[in-house]
Amino acid sequence: MTKLITFVKIVLGDNMECIFCKIIKGEIPCFKIYEDNDVLAFLDINPDSDGHTLIIPKKHFADLDDIDLNTLSKINEAAKHIKNILENKLKCDGISLLQNNGCVQDVKHYHLHLKPNYKNKQSIEILKHKEFISNPKDIYEKLKEN
């Protein structure tokens, strides 16, 4: 049995239990708002605002390091289309795009969040703790090319 599991992992990868892969296969339902040959977009089941949407590639990629540029381009094309849908149908006043990696990535399948913002509705805000943020000049010095 162990050899079979190893074989399956080699052939299928470690995404056998990926919730997003199960959504793509139709094993788990979702509130789908857009789909084409390469991507699927659906409403987040734990939204930060009305219309909070996730766009995922249909092929499993773990994160930004794993995904290819062609697929990223297709996700961004879909994001432009979905942005227009959200603005026109939900009358939101702005859209935030967010993509997480590492310890802040809950599902290890690349996904892009589109979070509508509304002037008349309070959404979850990111709190800035200035005491933990370095001076931008110091960060620049670390990042610039030498």
Side-chain angles (χ1 to χ4, degrees), residues 103-131:
C103 67
V104 293
Q105 184 182 9
D106 290 333
V107 178
K108 303 300 185 198
H109 182 123
Y110 181 94
H111 55 287
L112 179 66
H113 296 257
L114 275 71
K115 297 182 181 185
N117 298 288
Y118 303 88
K119 289 179 186 176
N120 63 345
K121 290 184 179 180
Q122 193 173 31
S123 61
I124 294 174
E125 298 178 18
I126 298 173
L127 300 175
K128 292 184 180 179
H129 295 278
K130 298 241 182 224
E131 66 273 17

PDB file of all heavy atoms in Angstrom, residues 103-131:
ATOM      1  N   CYS A 103       3.337  31.464   5.155  1.00  0.00           N
ATOM      2  CA  CYS A 103       2.552  31.198   6.359  1.00  0.00           C
ATOM      3  C   CYS A 103       1.184  31.871   6.357  1.00  0.00           C
ATOM      4  O   CYS A 103       0.309  31.473   7.122  1.00  0.00           O
ATOM      5  CB  CYS A 103       3.336  31.605   7.608  1.00  0.00           C
ATOM      6  SG  CYS A 103       3.599  33.373   7.767  1.00  0.00           S
ATOM      7  N   VAL A 104       0.946  32.856   5.503  1.00  0.00           N
ATOM      8  CA  VAL A 104      -0.353  33.533   5.458  1.00  0.00           C
ATOM      9  C   VAL A 104      -1.276  32.949   4.381  1.00  0.00           C
ATOM     10  O   VAL A 104      -2.395  33.415   4.198  1.00  0.00           O
ATOM     11  CB  VAL A 104      -0.203  35.051   5.239  1.00  0.00           C
ATOM     12  CG1 VAL A 104       0.447  35.699   6.448  1.00  0.00           C
ATOM     13  CG2 VAL A 104       0.573  35.355   3.982  1.00  0.00           C
ATOM     14  N   GLN A 105      -0.808  31.922   3.685  1.00  0.00           N
ATOM     15  CA  GLN A 105      -1.602  31.270   2.640  1.00  0.00           C
ATOM     16  C   GLN A 105      -2.350  30.083   3.244  1.00  0.00           C
ATOM     17  O   GLN A 105      -1.770  29.054   3.537  1.00  0.00           O
ATOM     18  CB  GLN A 105      -0.685  30.815   1.500  1.00  0.00           C
ATOM     19  CG  GLN A 105      -1.398  30.226   0.324  1.00  0.00           C
ATOM     20  CD  GLN A 105      -0.440  29.745  -0.745  1.00  0.00           C
ATOM     21  OE1 GLN A 105       0.784  29.705  -0.547  1.00  0.00           O
ATOM     22  NE2 GLN A 105      -0.973  29.369  -1.876  1.00  0.00           N
ATOM     23  N   ASP A 106      -3.654  30.235   3.424  1.00  0.00           N
ATOM     24  CA  ASP A 106      -4.455  29.180   4.058  1.00  0.00           C
ATOM     25  C   ASP A 106      -4.571  27.936   3.188  1.00  0.00           C
ATOM     26  O   ASP A 106      -4.471  26.823   3.687  1.00  0.00           O
ATOM     27  CB  ASP A 106      -5.854  29.698   4.400  1.00  0.00           C
ATOM     28  CG  ASP A 106      -5.835  30.710   5.527  1.00  0.00           C
ATOM     29  OD1 ASP A 106      -4.913  30.653   6.372  1.00  0.00           O
ATOM     30  OD2 ASP A 106      -6.739  31.559   5.572  1.00  0.00           O
ATOM     31  N   VAL A 107      -4.825  28.106   1.899  1.00  0.00           N
ATOM     32  CA  VAL A 107      -4.937  26.979   0.969  1.00  0.00           C
ATOM     33  C   VAL A 107      -3.722  27.031   0.057  1.00  0.00           C
ATOM     34  O   VAL A 107      -3.472  28.043  -0.594  1.00  0.00           O
ATOM     35  CB  VAL A 107      -6.240  27.053   0.138  1.00  0.00           C
ATOM     36  CG1 VAL A 107      -6.314  25.905  -0.857  1.00  0.00           C
ATOM     37  CG2 VAL A 107      -7.460  27.054   1.055  1.00  0.00           C
ATOM     38  N   LYS A 108      -2.980  25.936   0.024  1.00  0.00           N
ATOM     39  CA  LYS A 108      -1.729  25.893  -0.739  1.00  0.00           C
ATOM     40  C   LYS A 108      -1.999  25.569  -2.216  1.00  0.00           C
ATOM     41  O   LYS A 108      -1.482  24.627  -2.797  1.00  0.00           O
ATOM     42  CB  LYS A 108      -0.761  24.867  -0.137  1.00  0.00           C
ATOM     43  CG  LYS A 108      -0.438  25.102   1.321  1.00  0.00           C
ATOM     44  CD  LYS A 108       0.210  26.439   1.563  1.00  0.00           C
ATOM     45  CE  LYS A 108       0.623  26.580   3.021  1.00  0.00           C
ATOM     46  NZ  LYS A 108       0.863  27.926   3.430  1.00  0.00           N
ATOM     47  N   HIS A 109      -2.869  26.372  -2.816  1.00  0.00           N
ATOM     48  CA  HIS A 109      -3.172  26.341  -4.243  1.00  0.00           C
ATOM     49  C   HIS A 109      -3.235  27.808  -4.615  1.00  0.00           C
ATOM     50  O   HIS A 109      -4.036  28.563  -4.044  1.00  0.00           O
ATOM     51  CB  HIS A 109      -4.517  25.648  -4.482  1.00  0.00           C
ATOM     52  CG  HIS A 109      -4.924  25.504  -5.921  1.00  0.00           C
ATOM     53  ND1 HIS A 109      -5.208  24.275  -6.468  1.00  0.00           N
ATOM     54  CD2 HIS A 109      -5.117  26.407  -6.901  1.00  0.00           C
ATOM     55  CE1 HIS A 109      -5.556  24.427  -7.734  1.00  0.00           C
ATOM     56  NE2 HIS A 109      -5.511  25.732  -8.016  1.00  0.00           N
ATOM     57  N   TYR A 110      -2.406  28.246  -5.561  1.00  0.00           N
ATOM     58  CA  TYR A 110      -2.353  29.664  -5.909  1.00  0.00           C
ATOM     59  C   TYR A 110      -3.764  30.208  -6.075  1.00  0.00           C
ATOM     60  O   TYR A 110      -4.603  29.608  -6.740  1.00  0.00           O
ATOM     61  CB  TYR A 110      -1.565  29.872  -7.210  1.00  0.00           C
ATOM     62  CG  TYR A 110      -1.479  31.325  -7.588  1.00  0.00           C
ATOM     63  CD1 TYR A 110      -0.379  32.076  -7.207  1.00  0.00           C
ATOM     64  CD2 TYR A 110      -2.501  31.956  -8.280  1.00  0.00           C
ATOM     65  CE1 TYR A 110      -0.306  33.430  -7.523  1.00  0.00           C
ATOM     66  CE2 TYR A 110      -2.446  33.297  -8.588  1.00  0.00           C
ATOM     67  CZ  TYR A 110      -1.349  34.034  -8.217  1.00  0.00           C
ATOM     68  OH  TYR A 110      -1.290  35.370  -8.512  1.00  0.00           O
ATOM     69  N   HIS A 111      -4.030  31.355  -5.473  1.00  0.00           N
ATOM     70  CA  HIS A 111      -5.306  32.027  -5.668  1.00  0.00           C
ATOM     71  C   HIS A 111      -5.152  33.529  -5.468  1.00  0.00           C
ATOM     72  O   HIS A 111      -4.326  33.992  -4.687  1.00  0.00           O
ATOM     73  CB  HIS A 111      -6.404  31.464  -4.762  1.00  0.00           C
ATOM     74  CG  HIS A 111      -6.084  31.451  -3.302  1.00  0.00           C
ATOM     75  ND1 HIS A 111      -5.185  30.580  -2.735  1.00  0.00           N
ATOM     76  CD2 HIS A 111      -6.581  32.191  -2.287  1.00  0.00           C
ATOM     77  CE1 HIS A 111      -5.127  30.783  -1.433  1.00  0.00           C
ATOM     78  NE2 HIS A 111      -5.969  31.764  -1.133  1.00  0.00           N
ATOM     79  N   LEU A 112      -5.932  34.256  -6.242  1.00  0.00           N
ATOM     80  CA  LEU A 112      -5.948  35.711  -6.176  1.00  0.00           C
ATOM     81  C   LEU A 112      -7.281  36.152  -5.598  1.00  0.00           C
ATOM     82  O   LEU A 112      -8.340  35.722  -6.056  1.00  0.00           O
ATOM     83  CB  LEU A 112      -5.767  36.302  -7.587  1.00  0.00           C
ATOM     84  CG  LEU A 112      -5.781  37.816  -7.710  1.00  0.00           C
ATOM     85  CD1 LEU A 112      -4.556  38.432  -7.004  1.00  0.00           C
ATOM     86  CD2 LEU A 112      -5.806  38.228  -9.179  1.00  0.00           C
ATOM     87  N   HIS A 113      -7.233  36.996  -4.571  1.00  0.00           N
ATOM     88  CA  HIS A 113      -8.437  37.543  -3.955  1.00  0.00           C
ATOM     89  C   HIS A 113      -8.799  38.853  -4.650  1.00  0.00           C
ATOM     90  O   HIS A 113      -7.934  39.699  -4.862  1.00  0.00           O
ATOM     91  CB  HIS A 113      -8.191  37.896  -2.478  1.00  0.00           C
ATOM     92  CG  HIS A 113      -7.879  36.742  -1.599  1.00  0.00           C
ATOM     93  ND1 HIS A 113      -8.807  36.197  -0.743  1.00  0.00           N
ATOM     94  CD2 HIS A 113      -6.736  36.028  -1.413  1.00  0.00           C
ATOM     95  CE1 HIS A 113      -8.259  35.203  -0.079  1.00  0.00           C
ATOM     96  NE2 HIS A 113      -6.992  35.083  -0.467  1.00  0.00           N
ATOM     97  N   LEU A 114     -10.069  39.024  -4.973  1.00  0.00           N
ATOM     98  CA  LEU A 114     -10.617  40.310  -5.390  1.00  0.00           C
ATOM     99  C   LEU A 114     -11.597  40.710  -4.304  1.00  0.00           C
ATOM    100  O   LEU A 114     -12.593  40.008  -4.063  1.00  0.00           O
ATOM    101  CB  LEU A 114     -11.351  40.209  -6.729  1.00  0.00           C
ATOM    102  CG  LEU A 114     -10.486  40.328  -7.981  1.00  0.00           C
ATOM    103  CD1 LEU A 114      -9.630  39.109  -8.157  1.00  0.00           C
ATOM    104  CD2 LEU A 114     -11.350  40.565  -9.190  1.00  0.00           C
ATOM    105  N   LYS A 115     -11.272  41.794  -3.602  1.00  0.00           N
ATOM    106  CA  LYS A 115     -12.088  42.221  -2.470  1.00  0.00           C
ATOM    107  C   LYS A 115     -12.728  43.574  -2.783  1.00  0.00           C
ATOM    108  O   LYS A 115     -12.038  44.597  -2.789  1.00  0.00           O
ATOM    109  CB  LYS A 115     -11.232  42.341  -1.204  1.00  0.00           C
ATOM    110  CG  LYS A 115     -10.636  41.024  -0.753  1.00  0.00           C
ATOM    111  CD  LYS A 115      -9.844  41.193   0.521  1.00  0.00           C
ATOM    112  CE  LYS A 115      -9.226  39.882   0.956  1.00  0.00           C
ATOM    113  NZ  LYS A 115      -8.557  39.998   2.248  1.00  0.00           N
ATOM    114  N   PRO A 116     -14.040  43.562  -3.042  1.00  0.00           N
ATOM    115  CA  PRO A 116     -14.723  44.835  -3.273  1.00  0.00           C
ATOM    116  C   PRO A 116     -14.730  45.709  -2.026  1.00  0.00           C
ATOM    117  O   PRO A 116     -14.817  45.204  -0.902  1.00  0.00           O
ATOM    118  CB  PRO A 116     -16.153  44.412  -3.635  1.00  0.00           C
ATOM    119  CG  PRO A 116     -16.019  43.005  -4.099  1.00  0.00           C
ATOM    120  CD  PRO A 116     -14.917  42.421  -3.261  1.00  0.00           C
ATOM    121  N   ASN A 117     -14.629  47.004  -2.236  1.00  0.00           N
ATOM    122  CA  ASN A 117     -14.691  47.982  -1.156  1.00  0.00           C
ATOM    123  C   ASN A 117     -15.881  48.902  -1.414  1.00  0.00           C
ATOM    124  O   ASN A 117     -16.193  49.221  -2.562  1.00  0.00           O
ATOM    125  CB  ASN A 117     -13.397  48.805  -1.099  1.00  0.00           C
ATOM    126  CG  ASN A 117     -12.200  47.937  -0.802  1.00  0.00           C
ATOM    127  OD1 ASN A 117     -12.034  47.468   0.310  1.00  0.00           O
ATOM    128  ND2 ASN A 117     -11.376  47.691  -1.801  1.00  0.00           N
ATOM    129  N   TYR A 118     -16.527  49.309  -0.358  1.00  0.00           N
ATOM    130  CA  TYR A 118     -17.723  50.140  -0.439  1.00  0.00           C
ATOM    131  C   TYR A 118     -17.560  51.340   0.476  1.00  0.00           C
ATOM    132  O   TYR A 118     -17.191  51.180   1.634  1.00  0.00           O
ATOM    133  CB  TYR A 118     -18.960  49.343  -0.015  1.00  0.00           C
ATOM    134  CG  TYR A 118     -19.167  48.081  -0.824  1.00  0.00           C
ATOM    135  CD1 TYR A 118     -18.563  46.879  -0.440  1.00  0.00           C
ATOM    136  CD2 TYR A 118     -19.964  48.099  -1.955  1.00  0.00           C
ATOM    137  CE1 TYR A 118     -18.757  45.717  -1.173  1.00  0.00           C
ATOM    138  CE2 TYR A 118     -20.163  46.944  -2.699  1.00  0.00           C
ATOM    139  CZ  TYR A 118     -19.553  45.763  -2.307  1.00  0.00           C
ATOM    140  OH  TYR A 118     -19.743  44.619  -3.035  1.00  0.00           O
ATOM    141  N   LYS A 119     -17.862  52.535  -0.033  1.00  0.00           N
ATOM    142  CA  LYS A 119     -17.763  53.747   0.781  1.00  0.00           C
ATOM    143  C   LYS A 119     -18.715  53.705   1.974  1.00  0.00           C
ATOM    144  O   LYS A 119     -18.382  54.159   3.051  1.00  0.00           O
ATOM    145  CB  LYS A 119     -18.089  54.980  -0.062  1.00  0.00           C
ATOM    146  CG  LYS A 119     -17.044  55.333  -1.069  1.00  0.00           C
ATOM    147  CD  LYS A 119     -17.471  56.561  -1.860  1.00  0.00           C
ATOM    148  CE  LYS A 119     -16.495  56.834  -2.978  1.00  0.00           C
ATOM    149  NZ  LYS A 119     -16.948  57.957  -3.812  1.00  0.00           N
ATOM    150  N   ASN A 120     -19.914  53.140   1.772  1.00  0.00           N
ATOM    151  CA  ASN A 120     -20.930  53.172   2.827  1.00  0.00           C
ATOM    152  C   ASN A 120     -20.951  51.928   3.709  1.00  0.00           C
ATOM    153  O   ASN A 120     -21.814  51.802   4.560  1.00  0.00           O
ATOM    154  CB  ASN A 120     -22.312  53.384   2.211  1.00  0.00           C
ATOM    155  CG  ASN A 120     -22.708  52.240   1.289  1.00  0.00           C
ATOM    156  OD1 ASN A 120     -21.862  51.434   0.900  1.00  0.00           O
ATOM    157  ND2 ASN A 120     -23.972  52.177   0.924  1.00  0.00           N
ATOM    158  N   LYS A 121     -20.021  50.994   3.489  1.00  0.00           N
ATOM    159  CA  LYS A 121     -19.949  49.790   4.314  1.00  0.00           C
ATOM    160  C   LYS A 121     -18.553  49.669   4.893  1.00  0.00           C
ATOM    161  O   LYS A 121     -17.568  49.844   4.199  1.00  0.00           O
ATOM    162  CB  LYS A 121     -20.230  48.529   3.493  1.00  0.00           C
ATOM    163  CG  LYS A 121     -21.649  48.376   3.034  1.00  0.00           C
ATOM    164  CD  LYS A 121     -21.819  47.044   2.333  1.00  0.00           C
ATOM    165  CE  LYS A 121     -23.223  46.821   1.882  1.00  0.00           C
ATOM    166  NZ  LYS A 121     -23.370  45.525   1.213  1.00  0.00           N
ATOM    167  N   GLN A 122     -18.495  49.322   6.158  1.00  0.00           N
ATOM    168  CA  GLN A 122     -17.202  49.113   6.782  1.00  0.00           C
ATOM    169  C   GLN A 122     -16.776  47.672   6.525  1.00  0.00           C
ATOM    170  O   GLN A 122     -17.516  46.734   6.774  1.00  0.00           O
ATOM    171  CB  GLN A 122     -17.292  49.382   8.277  1.00  0.00           C
ATOM    172  CG  GLN A 122     -15.948  49.485   8.938  1.00  0.00           C
ATOM    173  CD  GLN A 122     -16.094  49.920  10.390  1.00  0.00           C
ATOM    174  OE1 GLN A 122     -17.075  49.621  11.046  1.00  0.00           O
ATOM    175  NE2 GLN A 122     -15.108  50.626  10.892  1.00  0.00           N
ATOM    176  N   SER A 123     -15.599  47.504   5.938  1.00  0.00           N
ATOM    177  CA  SER A 123     -15.079  46.160   5.714  1.00  0.00           C
ATOM    178  C   SER A 123     -13.915  45.921   6.668  1.00  0.00           C
ATOM    179  O   SER A 123     -13.520  46.812   7.416  1.00  0.00           O
ATOM    180  CB  SER A 123     -14.629  45.983   4.260  1.00  0.00           C
ATOM    181  OG  SER A 123     -13.590  46.891   3.963  1.00  0.00           O
ATOM    182  N   ILE A 124     -13.389  44.727   6.631  1.00  0.00           N
ATOM    183  CA  ILE A 124     -12.247  44.410   7.485  1.00  0.00           C
ATOM    184  C   ILE A 124     -11.073  45.283   7.055  1.00  0.00           C
ATOM    185  O   ILE A 124     -10.717  45.336   5.886  1.00  0.00           O
ATOM    186  CB  ILE A 124     -11.893  42.923   7.393  1.00  0.00           C
ATOM    187  CG1 ILE A 124     -13.037  42.092   7.975  1.00  0.00           C
ATOM    188  CG2 ILE A 124     -10.583  42.619   8.096  1.00  0.00           C
ATOM    189  CD1 ILE A 124     -12.876  40.604   7.829  1.00  0.00           C
ATOM    190  N   GLU A 125     -10.497  45.981   7.994  1.00  0.00           N
ATOM    191  CA  GLU A 125      -9.381  46.867   7.698  1.00  0.00           C
ATOM    192  C   GLU A 125      -8.081  46.254   8.197  1.00  0.00           C
ATOM    193  O   GLU A 125      -8.048  45.569   9.204  1.00  0.00           O
ATOM    194  CB  GLU A 125      -9.591  48.224   8.376  1.00  0.00           C
ATOM    195  CG  GLU A 125     -10.821  48.953   7.880  1.00  0.00           C
ATOM    196  CD  GLU A 125     -11.023  50.275   8.595  1.00  0.00           C
ATOM    197  OE1 GLU A 125     -10.060  50.783   9.222  1.00  0.00           O
ATOM    198  OE2 GLU A 125     -12.138  50.798   8.539  1.00  0.00           O
ATOM    199  N   ILE A 126      -7.031  46.536   7.454  1.00  0.00           N
ATOM    200  CA  ILE A 126      -5.698  46.106   7.882  1.00  0.00           C
ATOM    201  C   ILE A 126      -5.172  47.167   8.840  1.00  0.00           C
ATOM    202  O   ILE A 126      -5.091  48.343   8.495  1.00  0.00           O
ATOM    203  CB  ILE A 126      -4.751  45.946   6.679  1.00  0.00           C
ATOM    204  CG1 ILE A 126      -5.293  44.849   5.755  1.00  0.00           C
ATOM    205  CG2 ILE A 126      -3.341  45.649   7.133  1.00  0.00           C
ATOM    206  CD1 ILE A 126      -4.531  44.719   4.460  1.00  0.00           C
ATOM    207  N   LEU A 127      -4.856  46.762  10.037  1.00  0.00           N
ATOM    208  CA  LEU A 127      -4.338  47.699  11.028  1.00  0.00           C
ATOM    209  C   LEU A 127      -2.837  47.878  10.840  1.00  0.00           C
ATOM    210  O   LEU A 127      -2.108  46.908  10.713  1.00  0.00           O
ATOM    211  CB  LEU A 127      -4.629  47.187  12.442  1.00  0.00           C
ATOM    212  CG  LEU A 127      -6.091  46.993  12.805  1.00  0.00           C
ATOM    213  CD1 LEU A 127      -6.201  46.363  14.191  1.00  0.00           C
ATOM    214  CD2 LEU A 127      -6.834  48.315  12.779  1.00  0.00           C
ATOM    215  N   LYS A 128      -2.433  49.110  10.840  1.00  0.00           N
ATOM    216  CA  LYS A 128      -1.006  49.401  10.728  1.00  0.00           C
ATOM    217  C   LYS A 128      -0.460  49.672  12.120  1.00  0.00           C
ATOM    218  O   LYS A 128      -0.926  50.559  12.818  1.00  0.00           O
ATOM    219  CB  LYS A 128      -0.776  50.619   9.830  1.00  0.00           C
ATOM    220  CG  LYS A 128      -1.112  50.367   8.396  1.00  0.00           C
ATOM    221  CD  LYS A 128      -0.767  51.574   7.553  1.00  0.00           C
ATOM    222  CE  LYS A 128      -1.103  51.318   6.104  1.00  0.00           C
ATOM    223  NZ  LYS A 128      -0.796  52.474   5.275  1.00  0.00           N
ATOM    224  N   HIS A 129       0.492  48.874  12.506  1.00  0.00           N
ATOM    225  CA  HIS A 129       1.178  49.082  13.772  1.00  0.00           C
ATOM    226  C   HIS A 129       2.519  49.732  13.452  1.00  0.00           C
ATOM    227  O   HIS A 129       3.508  49.059  13.189  1.00  0.00           O
ATOM    228  CB  HIS A 129       1.376  47.745  14.504  1.00  0.00           C
ATOM    229  CG  HIS A 129       0.085  47.118  14.910  1.00  0.00           C
ATOM    230  ND1 HIS A 129      -0.581  47.492  16.049  1.00  0.00           N
ATOM    231  CD2 HIS A 129      -0.673  46.160  14.335  1.00  0.00           C
ATOM    232  CE1 HIS A 129      -1.692  46.798  16.159  1.00  0.00           C
ATOM    233  NE2 HIS A 129      -1.775  45.975  15.128  1.00  0.00           N
ATOM    234  N   LYS A 130       2.504  51.039  13.452  1.00  0.00           N
ATOM    235  CA  LYS A 130       3.691  51.798  13.042  1.00  0.00           C
ATOM    236  C   LYS A 130       4.924  51.447  13.867  1.00  0.00           C
ATOM    237  O   LYS A 130       6.043  51.538  13.381  1.00  0.00           O
ATOM    238  CB  LYS A 130       3.395  53.289  13.129  1.00  0.00           C
ATOM    239  CG  LYS A 130       2.284  53.722  12.206  1.00  0.00           C
ATOM    240  CD  LYS A 130       2.775  54.704  11.221  1.00  0.00           C
ATOM    241  CE  LYS A 130       1.614  55.142  10.364  1.00  0.00           C
ATOM    242  NZ  LYS A 130       1.929  55.194   8.992  1.00  0.00           N
ATOM    243  N   GLU A 131       4.723  51.008  15.095  1.00  0.00           N
ATOM    244  CA  GLU A 131       5.872  50.672  15.947  1.00  0.00           C
ATOM    245  C   GLU A 131       6.636  49.452  15.427  1.00  0.00           C
ATOM    246  O   GLU A 131       7.779  49.233  15.791  1.00  0.00           O
ATOM    247  CB  GLU A 131       5.431  50.455  17.401  1.00  0.00           C
ATOM    248  CG  GLU A 131       4.548  49.254  17.643  1.00  0.00           C
ATOM    249  CD  GLU A 131       3.055  49.513  17.459  1.00  0.00           C
ATOM    250  OE1 GLU A 131       2.677  50.521  16.835  1.00  0.00           O
ATOM    251  OE2 GLU A 131       2.268  48.693  17.953  1.00  0.00           O
TER     252      GLU A 131
END
